[in-house]
């Protein structure tokens, strides 16, 4: 099949960047989307041009590295599918495909389609952890976890941190990501001791990174390749409101 | 790590949405009571004017309510502007090509329906409360003001359009508030949705019916059995 690409090209963070058109003839429908880009890049390199930079690693939908706007929606048109798991059979011969990086001031463009998602790492570092004595492993089932909570925690933990929620959100909000991390630990007994401070710290960090606020549009949930639900955002709001209400300065350590 | 645990509620994006939700619900509650009161227009001038008189009979209640509403509108608008500014700063550059997957029209146009409502509130107050925007205002006769006001075709049309905007704002907002306040769970979400949608639809339908009923002649100036025409005639 023959495809026409409109790709965002930007040399570095300082470059203004622009959409550049490429013809991509002889593309197999069995190729993955990233393989199609690989082919386009080989051809560019053969011509002595700069290949299109994009992030990827596992190429099986588990690492969260890949991610780009494909025809105006994160990771392309398929539900619950990362860009690396998207295949060219989702398109037809003669299609035009628009490819852009995630657009958020908290995710500055490094090059072309590659953005710096360090903001997510800092949100995790702010509170997305549990403090445990790191000795020998505890006995299995020493801490009972209700099946439902275990399942809901696993659902939230499925978040791969790709950033599609931010990219999809009309407000550039990171609430789906942050709430998945808050909810994942809030659902488990091990997460309880730090539950209040976690909500406060992670939301504070999220705001400090310059993400927008949530207006419950739901575009993040629809775009999420791991089907993280809005229910997590409600839980985070609940935790944040409660943590604010019960906060005591003298008990909060150095904060 | 610089992340601090001290709550900065009103500066936080979560806290700002709580402000939106609480003030939005206050305004939503007011529009419901306001609609129920106004439906008495269908009971004729005596009932309606008695209700209008009752509303103004206890000044402390009247001005207390007005103060709460004014503060709510103020906080709602200021926070809306702040959230919009944050969203703009979070995505300074728009996508060249964008396709929405699920975002409703209502949810994407809150900053159009909202400001239109703000303009409507100003016009509505000048029209029926203070009378400057009313062609035949009589201070003590709410029924007369209502009917003569809605006899003007463009006014009736403007009210219908603004009530549709209210519906658009609330069809997203009323349900959205439950999420902002963290009340939604898998189990409660459908209940909040049903209640929010049902009240919004009834509210808008009832409000729209009133200008239409005047235009259609269902609500008339002269209701001979209850009020002698002279009463209406005196200025
Ligand atoms: C009759 C007047 C109004 C009523 C009854 C009303 C009601 C509501 C409600 C219930 C919400 C949901 C709150 C939440 O999700 O947290 C809301 C949100 C909102 N309102 Fe209003 N509002 C009114 C006027 C306005 C005005 C005048 C503006 C703008 C200047 C405005 C802008 C917004 C915005 C931007 C949101 C947030 C949108 C979102 O969360 O998706 N509203 N409103
Ligand atoms: S490359 Fe790992 S999720 Fe796509």
């Amino acid at each position: 099949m023959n495809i026409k690409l409109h790709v965002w090209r930007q040399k570095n963070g300082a470059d203004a960047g622009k959409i550049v058109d490429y013809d991509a003839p002889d593309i197999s429908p069995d190729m993955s989307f990233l393989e199609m880009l690989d082919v386009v890049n080989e051809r560019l390199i053969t011509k002595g041009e700069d290949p299109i930079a994009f992030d990827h690693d596992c190429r099986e939908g588990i690492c969260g590295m890949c991610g780009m706007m494909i025809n105006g929606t994160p990771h392309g048109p398929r539900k619950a599918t990362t860009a690396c798991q998207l295949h060219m059979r989702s398109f037809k011969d003669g299609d035009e495909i628009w490819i852009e990086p995630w657009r958020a001031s908290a995710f500055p463009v490094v090059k072309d389609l590659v953005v710096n998602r360090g903001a997510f790492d800092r949100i995790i570092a702010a509170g997305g952890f549990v403090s445990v004595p790191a000795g020998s492993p505890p006995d299995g089932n020493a801490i009972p976890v209700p099946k439902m909570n275990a399942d809901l925690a696993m659902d939230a933990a499925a978040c791969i941190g790709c950033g599609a929620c931010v990219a999809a959100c009309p407000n550039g909000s990171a609430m789906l990501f942050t709430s998945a991390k808050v909810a994942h630990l809030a659902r488990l007994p091990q997460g309880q001791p730090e539950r209040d401070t976690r909500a406060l710290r992670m939301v504070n960090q999220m705001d400090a990174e310059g993400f927008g606020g949530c207006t419950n549009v739901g575009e993040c949930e629809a775009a999420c390749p791991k089907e993280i639900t809005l229910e997590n955002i409600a839980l985070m709001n609940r935790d944040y409101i409660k943590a604010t209400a019960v906060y005591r300065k003298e008990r909060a350590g150095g904060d | 790590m610089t992340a601090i645990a001290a709550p900065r509620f009103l500066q936080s994006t979560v806290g700002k949405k709580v402000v939106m939700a609480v003030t939005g619900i206050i305004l939503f509650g007011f529009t419901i009571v306001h609609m129920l009161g106004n439906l008495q227009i269908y009971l004729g001038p005596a009932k309606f004017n008695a209700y209008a008189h009752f509303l103004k009979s206890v000044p402390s209640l009247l001005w207390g309510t007005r103060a709460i509403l004014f503060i709510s509108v103020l906080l709602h608008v200021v926070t809306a502007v702040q959230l919009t500014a944050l969203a703009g700063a979070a995505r300074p550059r728009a996508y060249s090509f964008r396709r929405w997957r699920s975002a409703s029209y209502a949810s994407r146009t809150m900053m159009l329906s909202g400001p239109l409502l703000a303009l409507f509130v100003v016009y509505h107050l000048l029209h029926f409360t203070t009378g400057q925007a009313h062609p035949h205002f009589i201070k003590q006769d709410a029924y007369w003001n209502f009917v003569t006001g809605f006899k003007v075709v463009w006014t009736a049309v403007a009210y219908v359009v603004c009530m549709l905007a209210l519906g658009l704002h609330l069809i997203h907002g009323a349900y959205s508030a439950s999420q902002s306040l963290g009340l939604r769970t898998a189990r409660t979400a459908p209940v909040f949705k049903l209640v929010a949608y049902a009240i919004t639809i009834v509210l808008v339908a009832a409000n729209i019916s009133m200008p239409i009923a005047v235009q259609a002649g269902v609500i008339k100036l002269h209701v001979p059995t209850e009020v002698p025409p002279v009463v209406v005639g005196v200025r």
Side-chain angles (χ1 to χ4, degrees):
Chain A
M1 50 205 277
N2 298 318
I3 303 286
K4 192 169 169 68
L5 299 179
H6 306 280
V7 187
W8 183 260
R9 302 302 310 263
Q10 183 174 343
K11 287 194 182 62
N12 53 50
D15 183 25
K18 62 175 190 298
I19 294 276
V20 178
D21 300 346
Y22 297 97
D23 284 316
D26 306 323
I27 297 296
S28 159
D30 296 331
M31 284 177 185
S32 76
F33 192 82
L34 300 190
E35 281 168 344
M36 180 275 293
L37 286 180
D38 291 338
V39 168
V40 170
N41 275 345
E42 273 169 30
R43 292 172 185 165
L44 284 175
I45 293 167
T46 316
K47 282 198 285 180
E49 289 179 35
D50 196 21
I52 301 161
F54 62 92
D55 258 335
H56 60 102
D57 189 9
C58 70
R59 297 209 177 193
E60 55 182 14
I62 55 169
C63 74
M65 273 307 274
C66 66
M68 55 192 86
M69 294 296 275
I70 301 171
N71 278 348
T73 148
H75 295 295
R78 284 183 64 90
K79 191 175 150 54
T81 306
T82 52
C84 60
Q85 291 194 298
L86 180 67
H87 284 77
M88 292 311 291
R89 54 179 166 270
S90 295
F91 301 89
K92 2 180 251 307
D93 187 39
D95 268 5
E96 297 193 21
I97 306 179
W98 291 78
I99 310 176
E100 279 184 272
W102 294 164
R103 295 220 182 274
S105 53
F107 289 163
V109 173
V110 176
K111 186 176 183 196
D112 298 338
L113 307 173
V114 179
V115 298
N116 181 343
R117 284 167 288 191
F120 272 10
D121 299 338
R122 293 186 289 274
I123 294 175
I124 295 283
F129 52 80
V130 291
S131 304
V132 291
S136 52
D139 287 349
N141 294 332
I143 305 172
V145 181
K147 172 82 171 109
M148 187 194 76
N149 287 13
D151 287 351
L152 290 172
M154 272 304 272
D155 290 348
C159 168
I160 53 177
C162 64
C165 45
V166 174
C169 177
N171 309 306
S173 169
M175 288 222 188
L176 195 67
F177 165 79
T178 311
S179 71
K181 303 304 174 191
V182 166
H184 158 207
L185 298 172
R187 301 274 192 203
L188 297 173
Q190 293 90 336
Q192 299 315 307
E194 287 151 310
R195 186 167 178 174
D196 289 346
T197 43
R198 178 179 309 113
L200 293 173
R201 284 172 189 269
M202 291 183 81
V203 169
N204 281 346
Q205 188 63 34
M206 175 182 82
D207 288 343
E209 296 291 346
F211 293 105
C214 172
T215 55
N216 309 328
V217 168
E219 200 57 23
C220 54
E221 183 183 55
C224 177
K226 296 295 150 187
E227 303 188 288
I228 303 295
T229 62
L230 292 180
E231 207 193 333
N232 294 302
I233 300 185
L235 183 147
M236 180 175 76
N237 290 347
R238 200 151 64 231
D239 274 13
Y240 185 84
I241 295 166
K242 188 212 149 202
T244 303
V246 301
Y247 177 79
R248 288 179 181 217
K249 200 169 190 330
E250 66 276 16
R251 296 281 168 85
D255 294 331
Chain B
M1 184 40 55
T2 51
I4 52 164
R8 290 179 285 192
F9 195 72
L10 293 177
Q11 282 97 292
S12 78
T13 46
V14 176
K16 286 190 194 302
K17 280 312 301 282
V18 171
V19 174
M20 286 311 285
V22 170
T23 54
I25 288 171
I26 292 174
L27 297 174
F28 185 41
F30 168 74
T31 55
I32 296 166
V33 176
H34 184 274
M35 175 272 288
L36 291 173
N38 281 355
L39 280 178
Q40 297 177 62
I41 196 74
Y42 290 108
L43 302 178
K47 286 264 165 53
F48 190 74
N49 279 345
Y51 165 68
H53 184 74
F54 156 76
L55 283 185
K56 303 211 168 164
S57 57
V58 188
S60 56
L61 265 183
L62 175 70
W63 285 100
T65 310
R66 283 176 173 175
I68 291 171
L69 290 174
F70 180 75
I71 292 167
S72 298
V73 170
L74 198 68
L75 287 175
H76 196 78
V77 171
V78 168
T79 314
V81 171
Q82 289 175 340
L83 282 167
T84 307
L86 282 175
R91 167 141 331 115
R93 183 188 183 100
Y95 291 108
S96 322
F97 186 99
R98 179 82 232 227
R99 219 195 86 232
W100 299 105
R101 283 187 182 213
S102 74
S104 66
Y105 181 76
S107 72
R108 286 184 281 115
T109 51
M110 293 300 272
M111 261 323 230
L112 294 177
S113 56
L116 180 61
L117 289 176
L119 291 180
F120 169 74
V121 168
V122 173
Y123 170 64
H124 183 53
L125 290 176
L126 290 174
H127 188 218
F128 282 141
T129 306
T130 61
Q132 281 88 341
H134 196 293
H136 316 287
F137 196 74
I138 301 176
K139 212 166 174 359
Q140 294 304 329
D141 196 342
Y143 188 88
W144 160 275
N145 292 339
F146 191 106
V147 179
T148 53
F150 283 149
K151 270 289 173 221
V152 182
V153 177
W154 75 260
T155 303
V157 171
Y159 269 79
V160 170
V161 169
C162 289
M163 284 308 106
L164 291 174
L166 178 67
L168 203 60
H169 199 77
L170 287 176
I171 210 78
H172 175 71
Y175 177 47
S176 169
S178 63
Q179 173 82 349
S180 303
L181 296 174
L183 301 174
R184 253 191 237 172
T185 62
R187 193 135 186 254
T188 58
V191 180
F192 283 117
K193 190 170 198 163
L194 183 75
V195 171
Y197 282 27
I199 297 181
T200 300
I201 289 167
V202 171
L203 174 75
V204 172
N207 278 354
I208 283 182
S209 79
M210 299 180 218
I212 292 179
V214 171
Q215 283 289 326
V218 177
I219 300 174
K220 289 193 279 291
L221 218 42
H222 301 282
V223 185
T225 49
E226 288 187 35
V227 196
V230 276
V231 173
V232 177
V234 276
R235 263 214 85 137

